[in-house]
Amino acid sequence: MSLKNLCQKAFPRSLWVYHTNTGSCNGCDIEVINVLTPYYDAERFGIKLVGSPRHADVLLVAGPVTRQVADATRRLYEAVPSPKLVFAIGSCACGGGIWFDTYNVLGGADKVIPVDFYIPGCPPRPEAILYGAAVALGLAPKKAEPELSRQEFLDILESSKEAAEVKTG
Ligand code: SF4
């Protein structure tokens, strides 16, 4: 069963969301809250912020994962009942952002928990967050299909680095 079909079956009417900050500068968190304000009014689509991970269908992760919060993030993921979805909100949660190689950051959210949807941007616009939720619910099609997987992209990056090193001697 595809992820889209699973979402449609498991979450037919609403997504209850728990939002966590794993090291964010607060920019992404403000946009997540913005989505819930009367202007964007995500609640009309059944998207509702809840105060406990035990009530949530979806975990929204904002910020790079710092060493300090890694274990707490794993426990938080375990606390959300299955079936569950994880959204990485913002470039930091997608891959570490500008902090990806700093000493106290492990990287993006997928370094510690499985991530289903990535919404990049620094921070992503509220429209992008809503669009990501709509794609997850099967209400909107993806605008573009990925041509390379993340691993394929990293392999190409690695081989081009090696080639450059050989060239420079
Ligand atoms: S993606 Fe940008 S706005 Fe979001 S936490 Fe990182 S630095 Fe802040």
Side-chain angles (χ1 to χ4, degrees), residues 34-56:
N34 201 0
V35 165
L36 297 161
T37 57
Y39 187 83
Y40 291 100
D41 195 14
E43 285 198 13
R44 72 198 143 124
F45 304 119
I47 300 169
K48 183 173 152 48
L49 206 59
V50 291
S52 164
R54 300 213 180 273
H55 300 160

Side-chain angles (χ1 to χ4, degrees), residues 24-25 27-28 63 90-92 121-123:
S24 156
C25 72
C28 288
S91 303
C92 289
C122 183

